[in-house]
Amino acid sequence: MERVRLYDKTFKTFIPHERIMEAIDRTAAKINEDFRGCTDIPVLLCVLNGSIMFTAELMQRLEFNCELVSTKLTSYQGTGSTGKVKQAMGLTADIAGKRVIIVEDIVDTGNTIVELKKILAGHEAAESKVCTLLFKPDSYTKDIPLDYVAMEIPNDFIVGFGLDYNELGRNLKDIYVLDEEA
Ligand code: IMP
Ligand code: MG
């Protein structure tokens, strides 16, 4: 098992790149099924920074015309949620009247999703769906349905494939979990 050190913490391999790709294949297939033949142009909303890798991989697999819009939200500090979600960058384009697929790296408490749904309603999106690479069901406290979940994981802190520990680890190809014994 490979280990990586980021600042004061050690992480060990948890989900290898190949398994991430398989999960994204399955998720893209479901989205393609739901959106095949659509006459509108749906928007993929990349939630920076964490979602950048997932959005790029997912978008390559989509077989309908779609646009890419980004925004940036922050709530995590170190290995835990602050409970406060800040929009650090607004939407990069107008989404009024459009169907939006929110693309998230991970849904944990759900605070970010609640905030995103509010932002999209405020900008008059026609509809918004949630697509997330990872989901921590034991931590989720909201009742907003998650339309596409690529992988469910236990309530542990992870990094890699876009996810960070104080901004480090985003470049890792695999997903790593905090090694509590190290
Ligand atoms: P939520 O608002 O609590 O659902 O958290 C969502 C955001 O917190 C995600 O988009 C991530 O940026 C961050 N986050 C949640 N869990 C983790 C984790 O295990 N590692 C790194 N970032 C995380
Ligand atoms: Mg995020």
Side-chain angles (χ1 to χ4, degrees), residues 11 47-51 73-85 103-116 132 134-136 139-140 142 153-160 162-166 170 176:
F11 296 83
V47 186
L48 297 171
N49 288 325
S51 188
L73 271 72
T74 54
S75 63
Y76 248 62
Q77 213 167 58
T79 61
S81 173
T82 60
K84 288 196 196 99
V85 184
V103 185
E104 259 287 28
D105 51 352
I106 185 162
V107 176
D108 179 20
T109 62
N111 291 331
T112 305
I113 290 302
V114 169
E115 194 57 33
L116 281 167
T132 187
L134 297 151
F135 177 42
K136 295 181 185 172
S139 175
Y140 194 59
K142 313 292 185 231
I153 59 165
N155 211 352
D156 298 319
F157 186 74
I158 55 160
V159 293
L163 290 119
D164 72 302
Y165 167 53
N166 286 336
R170 295 195 195 277
Y176 293 73

Side-chain angles (χ1 to χ4, degrees), residues 125-171:
E127 171 193 285
S128 62
K129 289 198 163 170
V130 181
C131 173
T132 187
L133 177 65
L134 297 151
F135 177 42
K136 295 181 185 172
D138 297 337
S139 175
Y140 194 59
T141 57
K142 313 292 185 231
D143 40 38
I144 294 174
L146 305 179
D147 303 277
Y148 308 101
V149 174
M151 293 178 283
E152 289 193 0
I153 59 165
N155 211 352
D156 298 319
F157 186 74
I158 55 160
V159 293
F161 201 75
L163 290 119
D164 72 302
Y165 167 53
N166 286 336
E167 297 303 324
L168 292 192
R170 295 195 195 277
N171 56 309

Side-chain angles (χ1 to χ4, degrees), residues 35 38-44 64-67 97-100:
F35 285 82
C38 63
T39 51
D40 59 331
I41 300 175
V43 167
L44 287 195
F64 52 92
N65 288 334
C66 52
E67 291 178 359
K98 295 183 178 169
R99 289 199 288 170
V100 178

